[in-house]
Structures are given as structure tokens and as C-alpha cells.
Amino acid sequence: MSLLIVALIAGAVVGLALGALGGGGSVLAVPALIYLLGFSPASATTAGLIIVTATSATALYVHARDGNVVWRTGTLFAAAGIVPAFLAGAAAGRLPAAALTTAFAVVAALAALRMLRPSDSEPPERTRPAGAAGAGAGLGAVTGFLGVGGGFLAVPALVGVLGLRMKQAVGTSLLVITVNSLAALTARAGGGGDLRWEVIAPFTGAAILGAWDGKRLATKITGRSLQRIFAFVLLAVAAFMLVDVIV
């Protein structure tokens, strides 16, 4: 199978998950770039940021059109993560490949476990600004360090800390992801390694198209079912990456 076809298939899966869940799909982008498309971990995390930024911005437009983006809340949440995303993005390129891969696998496993946990759909009685700032900063650091959007962390934080409804949290998380990804990309400018645009471009295009289909899929399948399926896929990916590092 040619690299172009693999890039198109992988991109479609990433976009589908991102559009349906408001996050999480980007966690598959980096492993796909490493193990299916031959990128180094450093190059894969930078390429992942490019893919995440473009796809999240597209999905953000779709959710904003439907009125599911709380702009003020999302902007404040994203602002807390800009500096951590920039600093983590600059530091990531200096770490050994094994360290990046291990950290990525751990975060993917934690994301999967978080998705499998029952969530409280009721918003809190009042929001906690300090908690929101801390969550935003942590999300920015994860985005910059590992090249993932972090929607799997943003959505629960927006619901549990800031009191948004689930649909609002999914749409608003895409604003946060886009801002953090842009900050991390700025930090990595010129130092992202070997970026093969002949792979990144079709991957990104397929992800953008997949995000539109994912939004439609979310209206036909319950969010809980989608989360469980995706969580098991993430656990398998995390286990494979850890075994690869150990062996």
C-alpha cells in the first residue's frame, strides 16, 4: 500500500474522531506518522501539530455555525495555555526519541482511561477560576510537548470546571486546541525535523474532510458509545508504543 493511501486513511480516521468527539483523534495522528509513515518522533509531533491545527480550525467553524462555541470562556481557557504550549513546544525537540514516545504512550493511556470513566453530565454549581487556569495551562503544555490537541483533557475540564454543557464543551474545546497548537507550532518553527509535505498535506486534507463526517456521525451514535470504542483503540496504541520502546 502506498504512503499516499495510508496517509489518506489515517487522516480520515483522525478527522472522524475529532469531529465526533471534539478531541482525541489527534492522539492517533502521531503514532500513525511514526509507525505507518516512517516519521521520527520529533518530526511526527511537529507534523501532528500542523494536522491538529488545520483540522481543529475546520471543526471549530462547523461547531460555531451551530452555536456550540462559548467564545469568551474558550478564549480565557486557551490564553492560560499559550505560554506553556510555547515553552513545551520549544523543549520537545531536545528530548530523546524514546522519552517522547514513552510520554506519548502514557498520555494516550490516561486519555483512554478517562474516556472509559462514567462522566457526570450535570455542570457544577459554580465555576472555579483557579482550576480553569490550571487546567488550561496543563492542556497547553501537553499540546506543545506531544503535538496533540488535548481535546480529551479540554472537554472534561470545560464541563467539570467551567460548567459548560457537553455540546458547548466539545465546540469550545476546538477553539482551545487551535490556539494552543498555533502557539506550539510557533515555538517549533524551523526546528521540526524532516517534514515531508507530500505526506502531511494529504493526511491533513483527509482529516479535514473526516471532521465534517464526524460531526454528522455524532448525531447518529451516542457520544458514550463513540468514546468507549475510541478508548479501547487508544489503549491498544499506547500498549504497542510502550512495548516498542521496551523491546
Side-chain angles (χ1 to χ4, degrees):
M1 187 180 297
S2 71
L3 287 180
L4 175 60
I5 295 175
V6 173
L8 290 172
I9 294 173
V13 172
V14 167
L16 196 67
L18 187 61
L21 301 175
S26 56
V27 183
L28 289 180
V30 172
L33 290 165
I34 294 173
Y35 296 107
L36 299 180
L37 296 166
F39 281 63
S40 69
S43 296
T45 53
T46 302
L49 283 171
I50 296 170
I51 294 163
V52 168
T53 301
T55 309
S56 297
T58 302
L60 172 63
Y61 167 76
V62 177
H63 282 268
R65 186 186 58 187
D66 294 339
N68 292 329
V69 179
V70 183
W71 292 98
R72 183 175 181 275
T73 299
T75 300
L76 293 174
F77 192 91
I82 290 176
V83 173
F86 186 90
L87 295 176
R94 298 179 173 85
L95 293 177
L100 269 179
T101 303
T102 300
F104 192 96
V106 171
V107 169
L110 291 175
L113 294 175
R114 176 63 185 82
M115 288 181 177
L116 289 172
R117 279 173 47 198
S119 59
D120 184 3
S121 59
E122 292 297 322
E125 293 183 1
R126 64 179 189 176
T127 61
R128 300 180 291 278
L139 176 63
V142 170
T143 300
F145 189 67
L146 298 178
V148 300
F152 55 86
L153 298 173
V155 172
L158 288 167
V159 172
V161 178
L162 295 177
L164 300 189
R165 300 289 180 181
M166 182 56 70
K167 285 186 178 181
Q168 291 178 322
V170 169
T172 306
S173 75
L174 291 165
L175 170 62
V176 178
I177 292 167
T178 302
V179 172
N180 286 342
S181 298
L182 282 172
L185 267 178
T186 301
R188 294 185 183 214
D194 180 24
L195 296 180
R196 291 149 46 201
W197 290 100
E198 72 277 9
V199 174
I200 295 174
F203 195 119
T204 304
I208 289 173
L209 293 176
W212 287 81
D213 290 332
K215 179 66 169 56
R216 289 194 290 268
L217 180 64
T219 64
K220 299 178 181 179
I221 303 177
T222 64
R224 185 63 184 153
S225 297
L226 285 170
Q227 279 193 339
R228 289 181 63 84
I229 293 170
F230 192 74
F232 286 121
V233 173
L234 273 185
L235 281 175
V237 170
F240 176 82
M241 295 181 79
L242 286 174
V243 169
D244 182 65
V245 170
I246 294 171
V247 175

